[in-house]
Amino acid sequence: MAASLSTRVMKGIANLQAVRSTRLATASVYQNGFMRYSSTVPSDSDTHDDFKPTQKVPSGSTDSLKDIVENDVKENPVMIYMKGIPESPQCGFSSLAVRVLQHYNVPISSRNILEDQELKNAVKSFSHWPTFPQIFIKGEFIGGSDIILNMHKEGELEGKLKDVTGSQKSQ
């Protein structure tokens, strides 16, 4: 009796129409009483700017994203594509990579791949590497945080970073 009543109540709640609720989330009640939710990101013109996707790389640029990645890697002695920025990493792997690189007091240039999904995909395509962070030193793809850490432990990273100078740039 209680299970039947609870199922009817849940179905009634699921069928209620709240203001704008159909644009934000929908729910389905299954026979066992559990609900399944699916949500969508509204694309209405009245959606607040804080919740709209951002794009760090200007879309009107004549350079393709591949060209931007190539230029980043070529022009910056130490380039890291990461989640967040060196001053505020957004994942443990990015944080580890930054800490290892900072140990050598080299300028670190970076791009936050969380701000632009197309840039993230362009970097993956450029390096043929699926995960982040991705670190390039003197134009050469090195790998991720695990590889940088291993190179540091083995003493190889110091040689790679020898003679690295320049100005630090985060984008």
Side-chain angles (χ1 to χ4, degrees):
M1 171 83 176
S4 173
L5 179 60
S6 123
T7 301
R8 281 191 272 157
V9 168
M10 294 303 282
K11 283 183 182 178
I13 291 171
N15 291 328
L16 288 177
Q17 293 266 324
V19 176
R20 296 172 52 135
S21 67
T22 58
R23 287 186 281 176
L24 300 176
T26 56
S28 302
V29 178
Y30 291 99
Q31 287 179 344
N32 59 5
F34 291 104
M35 296 182 79
R36 184 179 131 226
Y37 293 92
S38 68
S39 62
T40 59
V41 176
S43 59
D44 297 338
S45 60
D46 62 344
T47 299
H48 193 277
D49 288 341
D50 287 348
F51 300 103
K52 290 182 181 176
T54 61
Q55 186 165 349
K56 189 71 168 180
V57 179
S59 59
S61 173
T62 57
D63 289 338
S64 72
L65 289 172
K66 181 181 179 234
D67 293 336
I68 290 169
V69 173
E70 284 177 2
N71 287 335
D72 282 348
V73 169
K74 183 172 67 176
E75 294 175 6
N76 300 292
V78 178
M79 183 70 200
I80 180 170
Y81 293 93
M82 61 183 287
K83 295 177 180 178
I85 58 173
E87 296 79 22
S88 181
Q90 298 294 307
C91 82
F93 297 112
S94 293
S95 178
L96 174 62
V98 168
R99 284 192 319 241
V100 170
L101 291 169
Q102 286 176 339
H103 176 77
Y104 294 93
N105 295 315
V106 295
I108 301 170
S109 300
S110 68
R111 285 202 191 259
N112 182 355
I113 54 103
L114 295 175
E115 292 181 343
D116 190 338
Q117 182 66 36
E118 290 178 18
L119 174 66
K120 180 179 179 181
N121 292 334
V123 174
K124 284 182 180 183
S125 177
F126 180 81
S127 66
H128 305 290
W129 192 262
T131 60
F132 288 90
Q134 293 191 13
I135 300 134
F136 295 82
I137 298 175
K138 298 179 190 173
E140 178 187 356
F141 175 61
I142 301 301
S145 58
D146 55 340
I147 293 171
I148 288 290
L149 181 60
N150 190 45
M151 289 176 72
H152 168 69
K153 287 178 180 178
E154 299 294 322
E156 298 171 31
L157 190 55
E158 186 174 13
K160 283 274 186 208
L161 294 171
K162 187 177 179 183
D163 301 326
V164 170
T165 60
S167 60
Q168 184 172 342
K169 175 173 79 174
S170 287
Q171 299 176 350

